[in-house]
Amino acid sequence: MKKAFLLMKSLFTYALCKIRYGKRVEISMINSLRGKIDFFLKKNATLKIGKFLSCLGPLYLRCGENANMEIGNNCFFNRNCSVTAYKSITIGDNCMIANNVVIIDHDHKFNEKSISKELVGCPVVLGNNVWVGANTVILKGVKIGDGAIVAAGSVVTKNIAPYCIYAGVPAKKISQRGKKNE
């Protein structure tokens, strides 16, 4: 019964996305969407989700005007994750995103006297097989290499090399993983 409900929810989400956004959203008909998934795309934004997205929800996917977001195959999002693209966010295949993770590709412009409503963006890229721990924030312009691990509670402000483990605020390299087949 539970599997039938999940199938119905997946098909409903697919239909809703196609009705609301048409060709601007690519999503498989079959996913594992256990909790709420909330899509919002502004004018000319695109969202592409690979085969078999799994989420416990809520999962918030936001794309600003002309922004692009791509999530690879077999990705998992735990509870209360938010991914917001002003320019571009790409998440590779087989990524695991723990609860309360925020991925954002933009900041507000500011100077010594004021903070502007105007945004400045720079793409974010997560490679394949990346694991992002709970309560992590990934900021604009960051590239995380294949097989990397970001420890819980980190704030990622700079690129992370493949197969490395980073932790802290700001995140720093704490270890290296063996390459491939791990």
Side-chain angles (χ1 to χ4, degrees):
M1 186 69 157
K2 188 174 183 179
K3 286 184 180 181
F5 174 76
L6 290 175
L7 175 63
M8 294 298 289
K9 184 173 185 177
S10 181
L11 293 172
F12 177 76
T13 300
Y14 171 83
L16 190 63
C17 284
K18 288 301 181 180
I19 291 166
R20 188 168 183 192
Y21 298 112
K23 293 181 180 180
R24 295 192 300 137
V25 172
E26 291 182 40
I27 185 171
S28 174
M29 291 173 65
I30 308 298
N31 294 290
S32 180
L33 309 175
R34 292 185 187 100
K36 175 183 175 184
I37 183 165
D38 188 359
F39 300 95
F40 181 76
L41 280 70
K42 286 191 175 181
K43 183 179 177 183
N44 298 320
T46 61
L47 172 63
K48 181 178 179 182
I49 298 174
K51 294 178 183 168
F52 205 73
L53 172 69
S54 178
C55 80
L56 296 180
L59 170 60
Y60 302 96
L61 302 175
R62 302 280 189 260
C63 295
E65 192 169 324
N66 300 310
N68 299 301
M69 184 183 302
E70 186 170 343
I71 299 171
N73 298 321
N74 304 311
C75 287
F76 169 76
F77 288 84
N78 207 322
R79 290 175 174 81
N80 200 36
C81 294
S82 176
V83 184
T84 306
Y86 173 72
K87 293 281 185 190
S88 172
I89 294 178
T90 303
I91 298 173
D93 295 337
N94 306 307
C95 289
M96 296 185 301
I97 313 295
N99 53 305
N100 303 314
V101 169
V102 174
I103 302 172
I104 193 162
D105 72 348
H106 60 279
D107 283 327
H108 288 272
K109 284 189 174 184
F110 66 94
N111 59 35
E112 294 174 3
K113 296 181 181 180
S114 67
I115 299 171
S116 170
K117 290 183 179 180
E118 188 177 350
L119 301 174
V120 58
C122 192
V124 170
V125 177
L126 277 67
N128 298 321
N129 304 300
V130 170
W131 176 20
V132 180
N135 302 306
T136 293
V137 178
I138 299 172
L139 298 175
K140 72 175 170 53
V142 168
K143 182 175 182 183
I144 299 177
D146 292 346
I149 297 172
V150 181
S154 298
V155 176
V156 182
T157 60
K158 296 189 175 158
N159 293 347
I160 294 179
Y163 301 97
C164 288
I165 301 171
Y166 275 61
V169 179
K172 294 181 181 167
K173 183 177 175 181
I174 60 170
S175 186
Q176 174 88 29
R177 296 179 63 211
K179 303 230 191 232
K180 300 182 183 175
N181 299 328
E182 279 200 8

